[in-house]
Amino acid sequence: MNQVRPREVRIALIGLVLASVFHATPVLGAILTKQEFLGDFTLVDATTPLLKNFLPDKSEYSGFVVYSEDGTLSDWEVNVNKLNLNLKLDSTLNVNSTPDVDFELDSGSNWNLVVDFGIAFDAPKYTLERTSSSEITLTGEVGRAGTYIYQDSAANITLSSSSTSVPEPNSLLGLLFGVGAIAVSRKAGKTKA
């Protein structure tokens, strides 16, 4: 029958104390900004008669971009109702290819999002940008069919921030000490039995 020895108890307690001492609040990680936008687009330009006749003059739209302070894009989505355009992080459209996505954060909170499905092969390319405090512009390039531009100079834009947390190295070190101490005490108990 195995008996718990005082030495094993002390080792386990030391490990638990170290774990609790080193366990601290996680370090603040990246701050993420989410810009949600919605409004009504108005067609301001279409380069070919085909597009002028085919595209609606106005359309409701909505979407968001989520990015870190250094301009790294982590999530996005754009929906333009009357164009039946629904673009998001895992979009493939009908071209069955993942687009090249480029995001540039300008001064302040202005940005430029380019979603390119391969314009060189007649697949569409979309550029969505916020160029002023409340202006959103959508440019669609649809190969030989031409280019169109929608704009909303009074977009409803909402900003929110959140922060990600990463475990502090000391927390992980303390937990490793604790687990190690318990493992040593169990091994010591088995060899003495």
Side-chain angles (χ1 to χ4, degrees):
M1 182 174 183
N2 289 344
Q3 288 186 342
V4 177
R5 299 188 181 359
R7 180 172 179 243
E8 295 166 6
V9 171
R10 280 191 302 249
I11 291 173
L13 285 175
I14 290 169
L16 291 173
V17 168
L18 284 172
S20 64
V21 166
F22 284 114
H23 183 73
T25 306
V27 175
L28 188 63
I31 294 175
L32 296 178
T33 299
K34 181 175 187 178
Q35 283 192 33
E36 296 178 86
F37 45 86
L38 59 91
D40 294 301
F41 273 141
T42 300
L43 182 65
V44 294
D45 192 22
T47 59
T48 62
L50 174 67
L51 286 176
K52 285 180 184 173
N53 294 332
F54 176 72
L55 293 171
D57 290 335
K58 293 188 176 294
S59 178
E60 291 181 347
Y61 71 95
S62 63
F64 65 86
V65 290
V66 180
Y67 54 89
S68 61
E69 301 162 82
D70 66 358
T72 302
L73 184 68
S74 61
D75 197 6
W76 60 276
E77 186 171 340
V78 180
N79 298 297
V80 185
N81 295 356
K82 289 189 178 177
L83 294 179
N84 292 324
L85 186 62
N86 183 7
L87 301 173
K88 52 188 170 183
L89 195 59
D90 56 356
S91 290
T92 58
L93 284 184
N94 58 354
V95 294
N96 294 324
S97 67
T98 304
D100 285 329
V101 177
D102 184 39
F103 181 78
E104 290 182 25
L105 182 62
D106 248 347
S107 59
S109 52
N110 294 347
W111 43 265
N112 184 311
L113 173 67
V114 178
V115 183
D116 187 352
F117 287 92
I119 192 70
F121 304 105
D122 249 6
K125 175 181 178 182
Y126 302 98
T127 303
L128 188 76
E129 57 187 326
R130 178 181 177 185
T131 54
S132 72
S133 61
S134 60
E135 186 173 277
I136 301 281
T137 302
L138 171 70
T139 303
E141 297 174 57
V142 285
R144 284 171 279 203
T147 300
Y148 60 84
I149 299 172
Y150 280 93
Q151 196 170 66
D152 181 2
S153 57
N156 184 356
I157 300 172
T158 307
L159 274 81
S160 57
S161 294
S162 62
S163 57
T164 59
S165 59
V166 293
E168 197 172 333
N170 289 344
S171 301
L172 296 174
L173 186 62
L175 290 173
L176 286 174
F177 276 134
V179 170
I182 291 169
V184 167
S185 69
R186 285 188 176 168
K187 186 175 182 184
K190 287 181 181 178
T191 56
K192 291 184 180 181

